Amino acid sequence: MGVAKPVELQSKEFRTQGEAREFFSAMLKRYKVGAALSDEDSALLGQLLRRHRCYDEIVGCGIDSFTTTIAEEGSKCFAVLRDDGTVCGFSYHKCITRAE
Amino acid sequence: MELFEECQVISSLIDAGREQAARDKVIELLSRLERGANGYPEVVNHLIRSVGLFPYIHAPSAAWQDRFAVEAFKADVGAGKRAALHIEQSRLLSKLLDGESLAVSAPTSFGKSFVIDALIAIRKPARVLIIVPTIALMDETRRRLQKKFARTHRVLTATSDHMAEGQFIMVCPQERAISLADQIDELDLFVVDEFYKASSDFDPDRSAALVRAIVRFSSIARQKYFLAPNVERLAASPLTDGLEFVKLDFNTVLLKVSNHFESIGKDEKAKSERLRSILASAPGKTLVYAGTHAQVEAVASLLRLWRRGSKSELLKSFSAWLRTHYGAAWKLPELVALGVGVHNGQLHRPLSQIQVQLFDEEPSMEILVSTSSIIEGVNTSAENVVIWSAKNGSGRISDFDFRNIAGRSGRMFRHFVGNVFVLDEPPPAVETQLSLELPECLLGFADVDGASISAEQREHCDSFRGDLARVMPTADVRELLEGRSLQSSDTAQIRVIAQRIAANPKDFRALRFLLAEDPERWSIPLYRVIDLSSSPWGVPHNEIVSVVKVLSDNWTSTIPELLERLESVQVNVDKFFKLERLVSYRLASLISDINAIHGKIVPDRGFDISPFSARLSAAFLPPVVSALEEYGLPRMICRKIQGVGIIDFESKELTAETAIAQLKEHESNIRSWSTFGEFDRYLLKHFYEGVRGE
């Protein structure tokens, strides 16, 4: 059995990556495509996004707000609505695992 | 039966006071009699007169007494023409000339609209508003009135810079009429065609807007004339105060209904075979009412199997034109080449118009397959109607709809008898009692303040206004509800928008991205706007968003090019029509309302997205090009004219009126251009005929 890998965010801690995945998967399900995330969820997602290896690229010119979009493969994902109106989707899995 | 015996039978029916039966027999007799150069036998002309069908009398072959009767029943029907009215038309006209306001129910073939023309020609009202239920009917009415009254009135279908000057006849659907309310202070004649649509039982989606228009314009109209088919009774209501209800059963054509549904039962193969034999044996043109898009497709598939290619060069060129401009994958070009047209409410307007025109005029266009769009009073000259399915988009059709569809067969002067073949079980016959009420969703709009409302309704108004006043200053509430900045006629929708914006104003900051040049930046605000609709869209939201973004190139790209870009979301040409209509009407109106309300709740927002909603409402075409499609001029032709450079459709100064004036000015030049193919020329001919007076 592998060792549990905790995911520590500024304001929330998950004992395992599985627990974090479950939490953000449930969050994603709560929102329709294009919807604005609540302040509370935005704050947590912002903390999670900092773990993404392409953080700077995703944020681009700056974050207007967090939302959801449809990824290229057709599934729903979290996204950053940038200050210039462009949208950049990202995988919360990659944030959790810090994968490329 | 010998002619003499038939005449005797008719005469006996008249003597027995059975006028309708006598009239039916006369019509049946006329359908069998070939009217040669010598006209009808004198006795037949006399019988025609006895049953009041004066327009059918052949004056040269009639006795002097009958000729005299025809003359007595002639009236000015516009453009200096005098034509005989039938006896009930004449009575109706007489009441209207006395200044009475009427709500009239009469069969489809009665000629109710003809009475409008006579009334305008004789009484010469200066300001006329005619509300019609669809853009298709708007254009048909406009064309008729333009021919007759272009010299005395400006026949308009949209706002004009010079509304207050001179005499006008405005023809438009209710939503457009509401938006013009501030520009019309008084009316001499207010006509509502198909006024039964003010009842939510008949048109749940648009009845409120019609009621709103009726309330608004009734208060400033000197005379009202409301028309409908097949209404038995009109319940008393404040909305119809001052209107006398007149129920007329006078028919000018005879319907022969043959029921096939009992022998067919559920056997689809037998139904198909029956359709095939009807089409093979019935003389003249046939309208097939298929009801839903799926059934239109089913009938079209059968016709593709059965029919041979038409020899008509015109249909061949139409088919080729459709392939060029809409892509080879579409099925309509193939059907047109087989002499079959398709009518539905979603096609680009010039396509619907031109198919109805071809069905009327081109011998080889023998069949028109239709959804419920044909119920709404599009006039065709079908000798036969086949009711393939007794359904429409939302379930089984009502008896009222069934009778309206059946009434599309037969036409005065063209087909005395209309044949109706019923292949699906019709709804049970019921008498239609119409009851017009002020719907709850209008309670709160300033337009209906003048209507007499109950204490409970007053409470509802106050509650709605109170809800708005909680999220914006009272003066702004008043301005919103009294002005024309809101397009919706649904207070529930307005309340949802206001409350959602007020609860999370920062979520709507993203609306500003709709002003970005790059359509990719529109996605998020579009999703948020779409989600604010209080009624379902009927299509996945991502399709709507994708179509809006792709449509931004509507003026610069061809439709096959746009479709190629929409392949990833599986939007084919039929869906494209539906979505283009959906976004340019419903979504554009919603965005406009959201913008107006957002501006009141967040006054310091620093942006205004009305330019976006205006562009969307024209489907990103230059607004004049979009307006000209209502006149039957397709965008492809405007694009060619733009390319040559003699008219700049993109100019902000250009209006539909000035564009038409310029198109008329360059008519001979434009129509002779070699850049136009055979069918382009046919379309131009159709357009020019519709903008000319006689």
Side-chain angles (χ1 to χ4, degrees), chain A residues 32-37 39 64-65 67-68 70 81-87, chain B residues 506-507 509-510 512-513 516 518 520-525 527-528 531 541-542:
Chain A
K32 291 180 188 168
V33 174
L37 267 62
D39 289 347
D64 175 277
S65 54
T67 181
T68 70
I70 298 175
L81 173 62
R82 297 188 185 121
D83 285 331
D84 64 357
T86 53
V87 180
Chain B
K506 71 174 178 49
D507 294 357
R509 277 192 330 228
R512 70 187 188 278
F513 297 129
D518 175 13
E520 285 310 314
R521 300 180 192 203
W522 301 345
S523 303
I524 298 300
Y527 277 116
R528 291 189 188 164
D531 192 45
H541 295 186
N542 67 318

Side-chain angles (χ1 to χ4, degrees), chain B residues 575-634:
Chain B
K575 211 161 189 185
F576 177 83
F577 287 129
K578 180 180 178 173
L579 286 161
E580 189 188 79
R581 188 66 60 90
L582 189 73
V583 301
S584 58
Y585 278 81
R586 204 174 135 195
L587 184 62
S589 300
L590 180 64
I591 292 176
S592 172
D593 287 351
I594 289 171
N595 185 47
I597 296 168
H598 186 256
K600 299 293 183 202
I601 297 175
V602 191
D604 56 350
R605 62 182 170 168
F607 63 87
D608 172 8
I609 54 166
S610 52
F612 180 84
S613 58
R615 288 174 73 204
L616 185 60
S617 68
F620 297 99
L621 297 169
V624 171
V625 172
S626 172
L628 288 174
E629 289 216 320
E630 293 178 357
Y631 290 76
L633 193 65

